[in-house]
Amino acid sequence: AQSVTQLDSQVPVFEEAPVELRCNYSSSVSVYLFWYVQYPNQGLQLLLKYLSGSTLVKGINGFEAEFNKSQTSFHLRKPSVHISDTAEYFCAVTASGGSYIPTFGRGTSLIVHP
Amino acid sequence: ETGVTQTPRHLVMGMTNKKSLKCEQHLGHNAMYWYKQSAKKPLELMFVYSLEERVENNSVPSRFSPECPNSSHLFLHLHTLQPEDSALYLCASSQDRGHEQYFGPGTRLTVT
């Protein structure tokens, strides 16, 4: 079985500042990793994914994440945030063998202040 | 219509009613999912359909009944719900299980 821990439930930041949203996972097998964003009154939207290959993954809206196997982490970063980035962010993991059932973290609320 | 659509977007029902939520995906995907999203709780996977195989979360009460007549349509039949079932119900699809998921906008359900 796998699990996901998003270490911060809320991250406040000022506009144009850098941000990092942390995600750690636990799994006994290889994994696929995802970050999703949810804006108010909407469903989740894929930001980026790691399946294999380069550990630095670039996504939409200027976000990127780095897969660190030794630390079992997949932290999300953006060098300069905008007010419009205010949303809920979810990290998700799927074991790359077996049932392929996804597990989501509890989410991190990113609040960008002007 | 593109992507994943869900109807209705909002639903208020009494505890003795029977209703159904509908989801349709226009992406040619082979897997579809139902999630429950409650405030202050993690996203809860309820059911997965993939190539006519169903995987379910054993903790989901029997008052929730899924139906997947084909790879593009997914229903969630509701009966004798409880107030704690009030939540946002999200449908998603993916090319195959394990791939990235595409979500619909959700149905906001309120049980009175």
Side-chain angles (χ1 to χ4, degrees):
Chain A
Q2 68 254 15
S3 66
V4 179
T5 302
Q6 291 186 241
L7 296 158
D8 306 294
S9 61
Q10 201 172 83
V11 173
V13 64
F14 286 106
E15 193 173 19
E16 297 183 6
V19 71
E20 178 180 83
L21 306 184
R22 297 180 293 169
C23 173
N24 285 90
Y25 69 92
S26 172
S27 175
S28 57
V29 298
S30 297
V31 296
Y32 300 146
L33 294 156
F34 308 87
W35 274 101
Y36 292 87
V37 61
Q38 185 178 28
Y39 299 104
N41 301 313
Q42 295 185 27
L44 280 69
Q45 177 186 0
L46 181 71
L47 271 179
L48 47 79
K49 62 184 179 184
Y50 172 80
L51 304 181
S52 64
S54 173
T55 57
L56 183 62
V57 179
K58 294 191 182 297
I60 63 171
N61 300 341
F63 284 93
E64 63 181 32
E66 186 159 18
F67 170 54
N68 188 319
K69 187 175 182 180
S70 63
Q71 297 189 3
T72 60
S73 67
F74 191 54
H75 300 334
L76 181 70
R77 301 186 183 100
K78 186 170 182 178
S80 176
V81 294
H82 301 133
I83 296 286
S84 59
D85 292 322
T86 295
E88 194 79 15
Y89 291 79
F90 294 91
C91 181
V93 61
T94 302
S96 62
S99 67
Y100 291 97
I101 300 300
T103 300
F104 282 78
R106 287 180 166 268
T108 297
S109 179
L110 176 63
I111 301 170
V112 181
H113 297 288
Chain B
E1 293 275 18
T2 59
V4 180
T5 57
Q6 291 186 242
T7 54
R9 292 293 309 276
H10 300 272
L11 178 62
V12 178
M13 59 186 289
M15 294 168 61
T16 58
N17 291 159
K18 289 184 180 181
K19 295 286 185 183
S20 295
L21 310 185
K22 179 183 176 182
C23 175
E24 185 172 0
Q25 60 98 358
H26 310 267
L27 300 168
H29 288 167
N30 293 317
M32 296 187 76
Y33 311 75
W34 276 119
Y35 287 91
K36 176 183 179 182
Q37 187 176 35
S38 305
K40 309 294 184 185
K41 292 184 178 180
L43 204 60
E44 178 187 356
L45 178 64
M46 302 175 73
F47 303 100
V48 181
Y49 277 88
S50 174
L51 298 173
E52 301 183 1
E53 177 191 3
R54 185 173 100 186
V55 177
E56 57 189 89
N57 181 342
N58 291 329
S59 66
V60 175
S62 59
R63 55 186 183 267
F64 294 92
S65 175
E67 179 189 0
C68 190
N70 55 60
S71 61
S72 298
H73 294 86
L74 185 64
F75 296 89
L76 188 63
H77 303 299
L78 317 171
H79 64 98
T80 58
L81 294 191
Q82 303 298 310
E84 61 264 28
D85 298 321
S86 298
L88 182 67
Y89 288 84
L90 291 165
C91 174
S93 71
S94 63
Q95 181 60 49
D96 291 296
R97 274 162 48 183
H99 288 223
E100 65 269 23
Q101 295 175 65
Y102 292 78
F103 286 79
T107 295
R108 175 69 62 184
L109 174 66
T110 303
V111 181
T112 60

